[in-house]
């Protein structure tokens, strides 16, 4: 919430992602950006990186 409260609205997603990365780093938290995950719809893969 701190990032959102400080930036406000109207920024591109990439700006919010970078700001969140800075905030997480300041808090000493580890994270992964844009981690790939398989998505399933009714037990069928609807997306994966091999398609």
């Amino acid at each position: 919430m701190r990032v959102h409260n400080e930036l406000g609205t109207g920024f591109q997603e990439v700006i919010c992602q970078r700001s969140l990365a800075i905030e997480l780093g300041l808090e000493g938290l580890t994270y992964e950006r844009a981690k790939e995950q398989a998505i399933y719809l009714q037990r069928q893969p609807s997306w994966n990186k091999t398609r």
Side-chain angles (χ1 to χ4, degrees), residues 1 10-11 15 17-18 21-22 24-25 30 32-33 42 44:
M1 287 298 296
F11 287 93
I15 301 300
Q17 289 173 346
R18 290 175 183 165
I22 291 169
L24 291 172
T30 58
E32 291 183 57
R33 276 184 75 179
Q42 296 182 7
Q44 299 296 314

Side-chain angles (χ1 to χ4, degrees), residues 24-38:
L24 291 172
L26 291 173
E27 293 295 323
L29 299 172
T30 58
Y31 60 94
E32 291 183 57
R33 276 184 75 179
K35 184 174 181 175
E36 292 189 15
Q37 290 184 276

